Structure formats: C-alpha cells, structure tokens
Amino acid sequence: MNSLMHRILDIAPVWVYLVVALLVFAEDAIFVGFVIPGETAAVLGGVAASQGHVQLWLMIVLVIAAAIIGDSVGYEVGKRVGPKLLQARMLDRHRGRLDSAQDYLARRGGWAVFLGRFTAFFRAMMPALAGTSRMPYRRFLIFNAVGGIVWGAIFVVLGFVAGQSYEAVAKTVGRDLALGAAAIVVVALIVWKLRERRRERSFEADYEVSHAGPMTPETD
C-alpha cells in the first residue's frame, strides 16, 4: 500500500486525472474492462485524493463523466455494429455470460443498465447490448447517468477512505503492522476474485455443455 501510494504521488496530478478518466471511459466504450476494470482506476483515483495529490470532488466528477460518456459511446457502437460485435471471436469464451446479459436486459430493461454497472462483465457489455436491442436512448441515458453517478461516487470515495484509513492505522500502530493488515486485505480480495473467476468458468463450461450439438453415432 505504501509503495502504491508513493508511485501514485510520483505522477503529476493532471496525469492522474487523465489516466483514471480514460480507463473508466475505455472500459465501456471499447471494452478495456476485460483487462483492467474501471472500478480499479476509480479506487486508485480516490487513494490519490486521500493524500491530497488530487482534488476529491474533481476526481468524482471526472469519473462520473467518463462513465456516462463511455457508456454512451458503447451504446452507439452497439446500435451501429451490434450484430457483428456479438459475433466477434474475442467473445466466444464469454458466450454464456453474454447470453445471460442479453436475457437480463430483455427482462429488466433500463434497470439492467443501472445494475449492470456494478458487475465488471455487464459494465463492459451492457451499453453495447442496449444499443443493439434498440433501447430508446433517452431511457438508456437516464439509467446510465444514475448508475454512473452512484457507481463513480462510491468507488472514488471507497479509495479515499481506504487511503485515509491506512494513514490513520500507520500513525497509530506503526507502518509495519499497517502494511501487514493491508496485505491481508489484498490477499482476501485476490482469493475472492479467483473464486469469482472460477464460478464464471464453471458457468461457461456448463453453458458449452448444454449448448453442444447432439453426438452423432459412429458408423462402421
């Protein structure tokens, strides 16, 4: 945690703002979320704010704006090239979750756009799926904006609180113990992510089995 903070503080504030905003934007606009979740960037922006390196209010505004604009670009991509996008080979390994997202959108409509923002895969794909399904843009924008505001504020503030808490613990019990506590939290998050990834792979494997074509008997 201490090393991470120092690395962030070594970057000029303007670049912190720019990189965080671009990662959040790109997650929804061009599906970078498959590699780097936007929530990670938002949290790191909050950590930088906790050290006074950037302004908390401005970071929140930029993350929210990037989330809303990125979703809107993703919507337009889906609206214009949706069918081709859904057949892209890079999505083959995610076909089960993609079908689940389409079904969720069909059942929940605008609420799927709002709730999907809080799940990495849905956050990356839901805007394009909404555009592909021809959801009216005004309806999409309402749920997109509300979701972006709630999501952006929560994760930036979460990073801010984490940074502040670390400093408070470090001053009270020493940096070695604080680093140990931070390490435990990081390990717990990694384990949780690995279990989540395992569940996703299990879901995709079950999907492939259930959608496999019938076996044809061999002939002599």
Side-chain angles (χ1 to χ4, degrees):
M1 186 73 169
N2 196 35
S3 175
L4 175 61
M5 286 184 177
H6 281 120
R7 290 181 182 180
I8 293 175
L9 296 179
D10 285 340
I11 304 173
V14 64
W15 285 108
V16 177
Y17 287 126
L18 183 61
V19 170
V20 170
L22 282 177
L23 285 175
V24 172
F25 167 83
E27 178 177 41
D28 305 326
I30 55 176
F31 320 120
V32 170
F34 288 123
V35 181
I36 303 176
E39 63 194 22
T40 302
V43 168
L44 290 178
V47 171
S50 74
Q51 303 303 298
H53 194 53
V54 296
Q55 295 292 320
L56 177 63
W57 70 268
L58 182 54
M59 182 59 70
I60 292 175
V61 169
L62 286 175
V63 166
I64 290 173
I68 295 173
I69 295 171
D71 273 6
S72 293
V73 172
Y75 173 92
E76 287 298 323
V77 170
K79 184 177 180 180
R80 296 176 185 276
V81 296
K84 292 182 179 179
L85 174 66
L86 296 181
Q87 298 303 317
R89 296 183 65 180
M90 72 173 186
L91 294 177
D92 285 347
R93 60 185 296 226
H94 304 289
R95 196 61 59 187
R97 284 187 293 167
L98 187 59
D99 286 354
S100 176
Q102 290 178 294
D103 178 66
Y104 189 53
L105 180 63
R107 288 186 292 106
R108 293 296 188 92
W111 282 108
V113 175
F114 173 82
L115 297 172
R117 173 148 287 282
F118 297 89
T119 303
F121 180 82
F122 283 11
R123 186 165 59 247
M125 292 303 304
M126 195 61 74
L129 293 177
T132 303
S133 69
R134 301 292 176 173
M135 176 185 290
Y137 180 71
R138 181 175 297 182
R139 178 175 176 79
F140 169 81
L141 182 60
I142 291 173
F143 286 94
N144 169 35
V146 174
I149 291 169
V150 175
W151 175 86
I154 286 176
F155 280 96
V156 174
V157 171
L158 183 63
F160 181 85
V161 171
Q164 291 267 314
S165 299
Y166 169 80
E167 287 299 319
V169 171
K171 290 177 181 178
T172 303
V173 300
R175 293 195 175 273
D176 289 342
L177 187 56
L179 283 172
I184 292 173
V185 172
V186 170
V187 170
L189 286 173
I190 291 173
V191 171
W192 177 72
K193 282 291 185 181
L194 288 175
R195 292 183 65 182
E196 183 180 43
R197 181 63 60 85
R198 189 178 301 168
R199 287 195 299 269
E200 290 173 353
R201 288 178 178 174
S202 176
F203 175 81
E204 289 168 0
D206 290 344
Y207 174 86
E208 290 178 1
V209 170
S210 64
H211 287 73
M215 297 291 293
T216 56
E218 295 183 3
T219 58
D220 293 333

mmCIF file of all heavy atoms in Angstrom, residues 138-165:
data_model
loop_
_atom_site.group_PDB
_atom_site.id
_atom_site.type_symbol
_atom_site.label_atom_id
_atom_site.label_comp_id
_atom_site.label_asym_id
_atom_site.label_seq_id
_atom_site.Cartn_x
_atom_site.Cartn_y
_atom_site.Cartn_z
ATOM 1 N N ARG A 138 -32.976 7.982 -24.779
ATOM 2 C CA ARG A 138 -33.356 8.793 -23.614
ATOM 3 C C ARG A 138 -33.531 7.911 -22.381
ATOM 4 O O ARG A 138 -33.073 8.262 -21.289
ATOM 5 C CB ARG A 138 -34.646 9.562 -23.891
ATOM 6 C CG ARG A 138 -35.087 10.443 -22.716
ATOM 7 C CD ARG A 138 -36.300 11.266 -23.081
ATOM 8 N NE ARG A 138 -36.004 12.196 -24.161
ATOM 9 C CZ ARG A 138 -36.882 13.060 -24.657
ATOM 10 N NH1 ARG A 138 -38.125 13.088 -24.176
ATOM 11 N NH2 ARG A 138 -36.546 13.876 -25.628
ATOM 12 N N ARG A 139 -34.179 6.762 -22.545
ATOM 13 C CA ARG A 139 -34.356 5.828 -21.425
ATOM 14 C C ARG A 139 -33.005 5.279 -20.970
ATOM 15 O O ARG A 139 -32.718 5.194 -19.777
ATOM 16 C CB ARG A 139 -35.278 4.687 -21.850
ATOM 17 C CG ARG A 139 -35.500 3.626 -20.766
ATOM 18 C CD ARG A 139 -36.520 2.597 -21.220
ATOM 19 N NE ARG A 139 -36.676 1.519 -20.248
ATOM 20 C CZ ARG A 139 -37.395 1.614 -19.141
ATOM 21 N NH1 ARG A 139 -38.032 2.755 -18.864
ATOM 22 N NH2 ARG A 139 -37.488 0.596 -18.309
ATOM 23 N N PHE A 140 -32.182 4.906 -21.958
ATOM 24 C CA PHE A 140 -30.845 4.406 -21.627
ATOM 25 C C PHE A 140 -30.055 5.453 -20.849
ATOM 26 O O PHE A 140 -29.401 5.137 -19.849
ATOM 27 C CB PHE A 140 -30.096 4.043 -22.911
ATOM 28 C CG PHE A 140 -28.628 3.773 -22.704
ATOM 29 C CD1 PHE A 140 -28.190 2.540 -22.237
ATOM 30 C CD2 PHE A 140 -27.686 4.766 -22.954
ATOM 31 C CE1 PHE A 140 -26.837 2.293 -22.031
ATOM 32 C CE2 PHE A 140 -26.333 4.532 -22.751
ATOM 33 C CZ PHE A 140 -25.912 3.289 -22.290
ATOM 34 N N LEU A 141 -30.097 6.709 -21.308
ATOM 35 C CA LEU A 141 -29.303 7.767 -20.691
ATOM 36 C C LEU A 141 -29.700 7.998 -19.240
ATOM 37 O O LEU A 141 -28.834 8.248 -18.383
ATOM 38 C CB LEU A 141 -29.443 9.064 -21.492
ATOM 39 C CG LEU A 141 -28.629 10.251 -20.981
ATOM 40 C CD1 LEU A 141 -27.141 9.919 -20.983
ATOM 41 C CD2 LEU A 141 -28.915 11.491 -21.826
ATOM 42 N N ILE A 142 -30.988 7.917 -18.947
ATOM 43 C CA ILE A 142 -31.448 8.143 -17.571
ATOM 44 C C ILE A 142 -30.831 7.110 -16.631
ATOM 45 O O ILE A 142 -30.225 7.453 -15.610
ATOM 46 C CB ILE A 142 -32.987 8.091 -17.497
ATOM 47 C CG1 ILE A 142 -33.598 9.298 -18.223
ATOM 48 C CG2 ILE A 142 -33.452 8.068 -16.036
ATOM 49 C CD1 ILE A 142 -35.097 9.237 -18.351
ATOM 50 N N PHE A 143 -30.972 5.837 -16.974
ATOM 51 C CA PHE A 143 -30.436 4.784 -16.110
ATOM 52 C C PHE A 143 -28.905 4.773 -16.130
ATOM 53 O O PHE A 143 -28.263 4.472 -15.118
ATOM 54 C CB PHE A 143 -30.981 3.419 -16.537
ATOM 55 C CG PHE A 143 -32.419 3.211 -16.164
ATOM 56 C CD1 PHE A 143 -33.443 3.502 -17.057
ATOM 57 C CD2 PHE A 143 -32.755 2.726 -14.906
ATOM 58 C CE1 PHE A 143 -34.776 3.313 -16.707
ATOM 59 C CE2 PHE A 143 -34.084 2.532 -14.545
ATOM 60 C CZ PHE A 143 -35.096 2.833 -15.440
ATOM 61 N N ASN A 144 -28.332 5.101 -17.272
ATOM 62 C CA ASN A 144 -26.881 5.183 -17.389
ATOM 63 C C ASN A 144 -26.328 6.281 -16.486
ATOM 64 O O ASN A 144 -25.339 6.074 -15.766
ATOM 65 C CB ASN A 144 -26.519 5.459 -18.858
ATOM 66 C CG ASN A 144 -25.066 5.814 -19.045
ATOM 67 O OD1 ASN A 144 -24.189 5.292 -18.357
ATOM 68 N ND2 ASN A 144 -24.802 6.706 -19.978
ATOM 69 N N ALA A 145 -26.969 7.448 -16.505
ATOM 70 C CA ALA A 145 -26.494 8.584 -15.706
ATOM 71 C C ALA A 145 -26.614 8.295 -14.215
ATOM 72 O O ALA A 145 -25.676 8.545 -13.444
ATOM 73 C CB ALA A 145 -27.279 9.834 -16.072
ATOM 74 N N VAL A 146 -27.755 7.762 -13.796
ATOM 75 C CA VAL A 146 -27.944 7.452 -12.369
ATOM 76 C C VAL A 146 -26.930 6.405 -11.924
ATOM 77 O O VAL A 146 -26.299 6.525 -10.867
ATOM 78 C CB VAL A 146 -29.386 6.969 -12.100
ATOM 79 C CG1 VAL A 146 -29.522 6.521 -10.643
ATOM 80 C CG2 VAL A 146 -30.385 8.076 -12.409
ATOM 81 N N GLY A 147 -26.748 5.357 -12.742
ATOM 82 C CA GLY A 147 -25.774 4.325 -12.414
ATOM 83 C C GLY A 147 -24.360 4.879 -12.356
ATOM 84 O O GLY A 147 -23.582 4.539 -11.451
ATOM 85 N N GLY A 148 -24.014 5.742 -13.311
ATOM 86 C CA GLY A 148 -22.678 6.336 -13.332
ATOM 87 C C GLY A 148 -22.413 7.205 -12.116
ATOM 88 O O GLY A 148 -21.314 7.185 -11.549
ATOM 89 N N ILE A 149 -23.422 7.970 -11.700
ATOM 90 C CA ILE A 149 -23.265 8.836 -10.526
ATOM 91 C C ILE A 149 -23.053 8.004 -9.262
ATOM 92 O O ILE A 149 -22.135 8.257 -8.475
ATOM 93 C CB ILE A 149 -24.494 9.759 -10.376
ATOM 94 C CG1 ILE A 149 -24.515 10.782 -11.517
ATOM 95 C CG2 ILE A 149 -24.482 10.468 -9.022
ATOM 96 C CD1 ILE A 149 -25.808 11.567 -11.608
ATOM 97 N N VAL A 150 -23.916 7.010 -9.061
ATOM 98 C CA VAL A 150 -23.821 6.183 -7.849
ATOM 99 C C VAL A 150 -22.517 5.396 -7.847
ATOM 100 O O VAL A 150 -21.778 5.391 -6.847
ATOM 101 C CB VAL A 150 -25.024 5.221 -7.755
ATOM 102 C CG1 VAL A 150 -24.860 4.272 -6.576
ATOM 103 C CG2 VAL A 150 -26.325 6.018 -7.614
ATOM 104 N N TRP A 151 -22.210 4.734 -8.956
ATOM 105 C CA TRP A 151 -21.006 3.912 -9.057
ATOM 106 C C TRP A 151 -19.744 4.749 -8.897
ATOM 107 O O TRP A 151 -18.842 4.400 -8.124
ATOM 108 C CB TRP A 151 -21.002 3.187 -10.394
ATOM 109 C CG TRP A 151 -19.765 2.394 -10.670
ATOM 110 C CD1 TRP A 151 -19.513 1.108 -10.290
ATOM 111 C CD2 TRP A 151 -18.608 2.822 -11.400
ATOM 112 N NE1 TRP A 151 -18.264 0.717 -10.736
ATOM 113 C CE2 TRP A 151 -17.698 1.748 -11.411
ATOM 114 C CE3 TRP A 151 -18.268 4.016 -12.047
ATOM 115 C CZ2 TRP A 151 -16.462 1.832 -12.049
ATOM 116 C CZ3 TRP A 151 -17.033 4.099 -12.666
ATOM 117 C CH2 TRP A 151 -16.147 3.011 -12.669
ATOM 118 N N GLY A 152 -19.670 5.859 -9.632
ATOM 119 C CA GLY A 152 -18.474 6.698 -9.593
ATOM 120 C C GLY A 152 -18.205 7.252 -8.209
ATOM 121 O O GLY A 152 -17.076 7.202 -7.712
ATOM 122 N N ALA A 153 -19.254 7.771 -7.560
ATOM 123 C CA ALA A 153 -19.080 8.343 -6.220
ATOM 124 C C ALA A 153 -18.661 7.271 -5.218
ATOM 125 O O ALA A 153 -17.758 7.491 -4.400
ATOM 126 C CB ALA A 153 -20.379 9.007 -5.776
ATOM 127 N N ILE A 154 -19.283 6.104 -5.287
ATOM 128 C CA ILE A 154 -18.980 5.028 -4.324
ATOM 129 C C ILE A 154 -17.524 4.588 -4.418
ATOM 130 O O ILE A 154 -16.808 4.511 -3.403
ATOM 131 C CB ILE A 154 -19.906 3.818 -4.538
ATOM 132 C CG1 ILE A 154 -21.318 4.129 -4.023
ATOM 133 C CG2 ILE A 154 -19.351 2.582 -3.825
ATOM 134 C CD1 ILE A 154 -22.325 3.027 -4.288
ATOM 135 N N PHE A 155 -17.034 4.317 -5.626
ATOM 136 C CA PHE A 155 -15.698 3.735 -5.744
ATOM 137 C C PHE A 155 -14.582 4.758 -5.538
ATOM 138 O O PHE A 155 -13.513 4.405 -5.019
ATOM 139 C CB PHE A 155 -15.559 3.005 -7.077
ATOM 140 C CG PHE A 155 -16.189 1.647 -7.052
ATOM 141 C CD1 PHE A 155 -17.478 1.451 -7.510
ATOM 142 C CD2 PHE A 155 -15.502 0.563 -6.519
ATOM 143 C CE1 PHE A 155 -18.067 0.197 -7.463
ATOM 144 C CE2 PHE A 155 -16.082 -0.694 -6.465
ATOM 145 C CZ PHE A 155 -17.369 -0.880 -6.936
ATOM 146 N N VAL A 156 -14.797 6.001 -5.926
ATOM 147 C CA VAL A 156 -13.779 7.019 -5.639
ATOM 148 C C VAL A 156 -13.705 7.266 -4.134
ATOM 149 O O VAL A 156 -12.613 7.331 -3.556
ATOM 150 C CB VAL A 156 -14.074 8.330 -6.388
ATOM 151 C CG1 VAL A 156 -13.077 9.416 -5.958
ATOM 152 C CG2 VAL A 156 -13.978 8.125 -7.895
ATOM 153 N N VAL A 157 -14.858 7.393 -3.493
ATOM 154 C CA VAL A 157 -14.882 7.606 -2.045
ATOM 155 C C VAL A 157 -14.319 6.386 -1.311
ATOM 156 O O VAL A 157 -13.634 6.526 -0.295
ATOM 157 C CB VAL A 157 -16.314 7.925 -1.563
ATOM 158 C CG1 VAL A 157 -16.396 7.919 -0.039
ATOM 159 C CG2 VAL A 157 -16.759 9.277 -2.109
ATOM 160 N N LEU A 158 -14.574 5.196 -1.833
ATOM 161 C CA LEU A 158 -14.013 3.984 -1.234
ATOM 162 C C LEU A 158 -12.486 4.038 -1.239
ATOM 163 O O LEU A 158 -11.834 3.713 -0.234
ATOM 164 C CB LEU A 158 -14.493 2.757 -2.010
ATOM 165 C CG LEU A 158 -14.056 1.383 -1.469
ATOM 166 C CD1 LEU A 158 -14.629 1.157 -0.085
ATOM 167 C CD2 LEU A 158 -14.507 0.276 -2.415
ATOM 168 N N GLY A 159 -11.906 4.451 -2.355
ATOM 169 C CA GLY A 159 -10.457 4.600 -2.422
ATOM 170 C C GLY A 159 -9.959 5.677 -1.481
ATOM 171 O O GLY A 159 -8.908 5.522 -0.839
ATOM 172 N N PHE A 160 -10.714 6.760 -1.380
ATOM 173 C CA PHE A 160 -10.340 7.861 -0.475
ATOM 174 C C PHE A 160 -10.329 7.388 0.977
ATOM 175 O O PHE A 160 -9.378 7.645 1.723
ATOM 176 C CB PHE A 160 -11.336 9.010 -0.650
ATOM 177 C CG PHE A 160 -11.037 10.211 0.211
ATOM 178 C CD1 PHE A 160 -10.144 11.178 -0.212
ATOM 179 C CD2 PHE A 160 -11.665 10.379 1.437
ATOM 180 C CE1 PHE A 160 -9.860 12.281 0.577
ATOM 181 C CE2 PHE A 160 -11.395 11.471 2.234
ATOM 182 C CZ PHE A 160 -10.485 12.430 1.808
ATOM 183 N N VAL A 161 -11.369 6.664 1.373
ATOM 184 C CA VAL A 161 -11.466 6.162 2.744
ATOM 185 C C VAL A 161 -10.365 5.139 3.023
ATOM 186 O O VAL A 161 -9.768 5.133 4.108
ATOM 187 C CB VAL A 161 -12.854 5.525 2.990
ATOM 188 C CG1 VAL A 161 -12.894 4.813 4.335
ATOM 189 C CG2 VAL A 161 -13.937 6.607 2.932
ATOM 190 N N ALA A 162 -10.069 4.281 2.037
ATOM 191 C CA ALA A 162 -9.015 3.290 2.210
ATOM 192 C C ALA A 162 -7.667 3.968 2.438
ATOM 193 O O ALA A 162 -6.894 3.566 3.311
ATOM 194 C CB ALA A 162 -8.939 2.373 0.993
ATOM 195 N N GLY A 163 -7.385 5.006 1.653
ATOM 196 C CA GLY A 163 -6.133 5.734 1.816
ATOM 197 C C GLY A 163 -6.047 6.432 3.157
ATOM 198 O O GLY A 163 -5.015 6.399 3.833
ATOM 199 N N GLN A 164 -7.132 7.063 3.570
ATOM 200 C CA GLN A 164 -7.166 7.759 4.861
ATOM 201 C C GLN A 164 -7.019 6.759 6.014
ATOM 202 O O GLN A 164 -6.307 7.014 6.986
ATOM 203 C CB GLN A 164 -8.495 8.507 5.005
ATOM 204 C CG GLN A 164 -8.649 9.686 4.064
ATOM 205 C CD GLN A 164 -8.192 10.993 4.694
ATOM 206 O OE1 GLN A 164 -8.531 11.287 5.826
ATOM 207 N NE2 GLN A 164 -7.428 11.758 3.950
ATOM 208 N N SER A 165 -7.706 5.626 5.911
ATOM 209 C CA SER A 165 -7.661 4.620 6.971
ATOM 210 C C SER A 165 -6.259 4.052 7.124
ATOM 211 O O SER A 165 -5.777 3.834 8.239
ATOM 212 C CB SER A 165 -8.648 3.485 6.668
ATOM 213 O OG SER A 165 -9.970 3.982 6.600
#
